[in-house]
Amino acid sequence: MKRTILLLLALLCACAVAAAEPASVVTTGAGVSVVPASDWAETYPDVYASYLKNQENSAVIDHVEEYPMIATVYEGMAFNAYYNSARGHYYTVEDVTSTGRPHKLANCFTCKTPDFTAAVNNEGVSAYTMPFEDMLAKVNESISCYNCHANEAGSVVVTHTYLADAMGADFDKVDKGTAACAQCHVEYYFDPETKATTLPYGSLSAMSPDSIYAYYEEMDFADYTNPRTGVRQIKVQHPEFETFMGEGSVHAGQFSCADCHMGTATNEAGETYVSHEWVSPLASEAISASCAACHKDLAGMVAGIQAHAEERTVAIGTKLETLTNRLAEAVTSGKYTDEQLDAVRALNRKGQFYWDFVFVENSEGAHNSKLTEKCLDQAEEAVDAALALL
Ligand code: HEC
Ligand code: HEC
Ligand code: HEC
Ligand code: HEC
């Protein structure tokens, strides 16, 4: 009964919400230079002060220690030895230069600094293949105003044009408060030829895990190959946008990323402004207060969703580790035909993709618990089928 009332309320709310207000897209080839964040401090002192607070989100957890199975699951790429948790936007340049993972090209800066975003907008795709160190010498700051506003603080402008390319005709259906974040909080790959950052879809409906997997199958794409099993694997990256907008999402169409991650704050003079401290909604009193009408215990609900997703992610990740080791043994045993091994490899590739789609999503299930559980089901099914063949 309570659920029905909540659902009705959510529907009412969704209907009352105005249609998505789209962002605009930056003009490219214009020879722009980036107005640095500090230049806006005087015009928007409150926004700027809240932006600086991202420095406080500084803690890092070593995922390789926390999840020992990834040493095996990511074997064949550097994430298996160097993989730290995400932290505040302030640290992106420091973190990308000190990952321990090898990086040769400037394309690693795609989601780290507006100086690179402007380089792409000025020079085109050739910027992606610039040597990493050459670009580093030109970097002035981490993620800043230019990334989401071009040089017009206040109006939301998509400056990462691959997002507009990937949305195609659906671009105007995405609210600006979501489009701003979807520039980086998405699954992507580097085009094998141009090394340009590219998203694996061309519309909103092609953004589901199933469509993305089909896209990679179609182009026979792999980020890395496991040296012991020969499995050509896909490394999924932070698919927050795809997960939140995906099938089963309760709040897509009702809230934007900014609604839940950038609250309205009030300064000493009693004026309101949009907080630019990007935090969990649970860490912001202003945001949680706006949810309280429907969620009496938001933290408890989120913790429950996350605990369940986490338990399954660890269990299935451990099975993937077992599968990798048993397949490696099978490869050297000489007891299996190439066809038999390839059938196991295909299931391993698929299982790891669906598992990774959840493992690297930063809300740990909270953005869309239905889709999260569905991905975990698909991962487990593939891994179990592979194990049964060995
Ligand atoms: C990661 C993306 C992002 C970055 C970086 C960013 N903003 Fe914003 N900003 C937004 C979004 C999204 C909104 C609109 C929020 C909404 O409408 O709910 C916004 C709104 C604003 C507004 C309008 C507030 C209002 O009251 O209408 C101003 C002014 C602003 N930003 C200034 C800045 C300045 C100055 C910087 C750099 C110090 C900056 N922004 C950095 C995403 C960003
Ligand atoms: C230009 C790329 C970019 C844009 C745009 C962007 N992010 Fe991020 N975001 C990142 C990166 C990269 C990190 C991880 C930083 C690190 O660990 O060094 C991050 C980290 C975060 C974190 C902290 C995660 C943690 O575990 O502590 C939050 C929250 C966040 N982003 C929310 C948002 C929201 C909300 C928006 C849109 C308003 C947004 N981001 C737009 C790139 C971006
Ligand atoms: C309905 C509210 C809601 C919306 C809309 C939403 N999120 Fe979240 N997000 C959450 C919750 C809840 C968490 C889990 C917070 C926690 O664990 O403390 C979360 C976690 C995150 C994190 C990890 C933050 C951290 O501190 O660990 C990032 C990054 C993030 N969201 C980005 C996004 C992006 C990008 C979008 C839009 C595509 C988005 N979120 C839309 C509620 C929302
Ligand atoms: C109008 C009512 C309403 C408001 C306001 C509301 N929610 Fe919800 N929310 C719901 C309903 C209904 C569900 C589905 C719960 C269920 O199935 O038990 C839900 C589910 C969620 C979930 C879990 C999603 C999932 O996939 O399982 C999160 C996280 C969440 N809400 C966060 C928020 C945050 C953060 C806010 C405030 C910014 C908020 N909600 C405001 C009604 C609301």
Side-chain angles (χ1 to χ4, degrees):
M1 186 60 195
K2 212 168 138 207
R3 268 173 91 102
T4 324
I5 291 171
L6 273 179
L7 265 172
L8 279 173
L9 269 172
L11 285 172
L12 275 174
C13 240
C15 297
V17 155
E21 251 187 76
S24 50
V25 182
V26 75
T27 316
T28 54
V32 293
S33 54
V34 173
V35 175
S38 53
D39 281 19
W40 295 107
E42 241 175 78
T43 325
Y44 299 113
D46 300 317
V47 168
Y48 184 69
S50 67
Y51 166 82
L52 289 183
K53 286 187 86 184
N54 291 296
Q55 293 181 28
E56 289 168 18
N57 179 2
S58 63
V60 210
I61 301 164
D62 182 345
H63 279 328
V64 186
E65 237 171 67
E66 197 185 7
Y67 301 102
M69 75 287 265
I70 67 175
T72 305
V73 174
Y74 292 155
E75 199 178 332
M77 72 137 34
F79 274 112
N80 88 322
Y82 305 96
Y83 196 179
N84 284 337
S85 66
R87 52 179 174 160
H89 285 176
Y90 176 80
Y91 294 99
T92 53
V93 172
E94 181 184 328
D95 288 347
V96 76
T97 36
S98 66
T99 54
R101 302 191 297 266
H103 34 58
K104 296 184 214 74
L105 297 179
N107 58 8
C108 299
F109 283 112
T110 301
C111 286
K112 316 296 186 214
T113 168
D115 302 305
F116 180 69
T117 310
V120 173
N121 289 340
N122 288 330
E123 296 154 34
V125 288
S126 62
Y128 288 109
T129 46
M130 208 190 306
F132 182 89
E133 303 300 333
D134 290 4
M135 185 60 224
L136 181 60
K138 297 181 193 169
V139 169
N140 174 48
E141 60 186 356
S142 285
I143 297 171
S144 88
C145 324
Y146 178 86
N147 285 104
C148 303
H149 297 295
N151 288 329
E152 312 156 33
S155 84
V156 178
V157 181
V158 163
T159 55
H160 298 229
T161 54
Y162 53 79
L163 175 68
D165 295 343
M167 288 293 94
D170 288 339
F171 185 80
D172 287 353
K173 292 184 193 153
V174 182
D175 190 81
K176 58 186 169 56
T178 293
C181 317
Q183 300 185 96
C184 300
H185 289 267
V186 279
E187 158 62 2
Y188 71 91
Y189 68 99
F190 292 137
D191 182 278
E193 271 162 36
T194 63
K195 309 296 177 201
T197 302
T198 314
L199 310 189
Y201 38 82
S203 69
L204 271 175
S205 61
M207 227 162 68
S208 69
D210 293 346
S211 302
I212 293 175
Y213 189 62
Y215 178 103
Y216 285 135
E217 285 290 275
E218 169 86 26
M219 70 183 281
D220 196 25
F221 182 81
D223 283 297
Y224 66 108
T225 301
N226 182 297
R228 291 189 295 140
T229 61
V231 177
R232 301 178 63 255
Q233 297 184 208
I234 300 159
K235 177 74 194 75
V236 185
Q237 326 269 351
H238 36 73
E240 277 84 68
F241 178 50
E242 297 85 344
T243 301
F244 173 62
M245 297 296 277
E247 186 190 345
S249 172
V250 178
H251 285 310
Q254 180 184 12
F255 294 131
S256 70
C257 316
D259 290 331
C260 286
H261 290 285
M262 298 172 73
T264 304
T266 310
N267 68 13
E268 279 171 10
E271 299 152 345
T272 59
Y273 63 96
V274 176
S275 168
H276 280 58
E277 184 188 7
W278 294 281
V279 287
S280 156
L282 306 176
S284 156
E285 268 176 45
I287 301 172
S288 321
S290 76
C291 320
C294 298
H295 294 292
K296 295 285 166 261
D297 179 18
L298 183 62
M301 176 189 66
V302 169
I305 292 171
Q306 291 179 334
H308 192 253
E310 170 79 3
E311 193 190 312
R312 291 195 71 196
T313 309
V314 170
I316 299 166
T318 307
K319 274 198 205 178
L320 262 171
E321 182 183 20
T322 307
L323 171 61
T324 306
N325 291 331
R326 288 188 45 196
L327 177 56
E329 276 166 35
V331 168
T332 50
S333 73
K335 287 188 204 145
Y336 295 85
T337 64
D338 283 347
E339 265 159 33
Q340 285 172 319
L341 291 172
D342 280 345
V344 180
R345 288 186 180 112
L347 288 164
N348 186 337
R349 169 175 160 92
K350 186 177 181 187
Q352 184 260 328
F353 170 85
Y354 282 98
W355 172 82
D356 222 6
F357 209 92
V358 172
F359 181 62
V360 299
E361 208 279 342
N362 279 299
S363 77
E364 295 155 50
H367 286 151
N368 189 342
S369 58
K370 277 210 189 95
L371 188 64
T372 300
E373 296 293 331
K374 188 180 166 200
C375 282
L376 290 172
D377 290 345
Q378 285 169 285
E380 191 160 30
E381 218 173 277
V383 176
D384 285 347
L387 283 169
L389 292 177
L390 292 172

